[in-house]
Amino acid sequence: MTGTVEAGVEPGCLLLETGTTRYLLIGGDRSQLQPQRRMTITGSTHPGAPTTCMEGVPLTVEEISPAA
């Protein structure tokens, strides 16, 4: 998925806003996942899984790269 990384409502929560869906980013190198950066994230989604962030579709991050 490609989108812009955003800070979540809860501290420490990061989301990927794609324009159609917001994904809650779980795991991954936080130094690469800075708010306002456009990124391409590869991973596995877990719709409906409970999280402490309580927003977005949970996405376990496997790969991160800058968006073209």
Side-chain angles (χ1 to χ4, degrees), residues 16-55:
L16 183 71
E17 174 62 60
T18 67
T20 57
T21 305
R22 296 181 87 196
Y23 294 96
L24 173 63
L25 302 175
I26 300 170
D29 181 353
R30 293 305 206 201
S31 68
Q32 292 181 6
L33 296 173
Q34 298 296 318
Q36 305 308 314
R37 285 191 183 171
R38 190 154 166 79
M39 306 297 291
T40 298
I41 309 289
T42 303
S44 303
T45 59
H46 309 282
T51 68
T52 57
C53 296
M54 297 182 276
E55 61 181 318

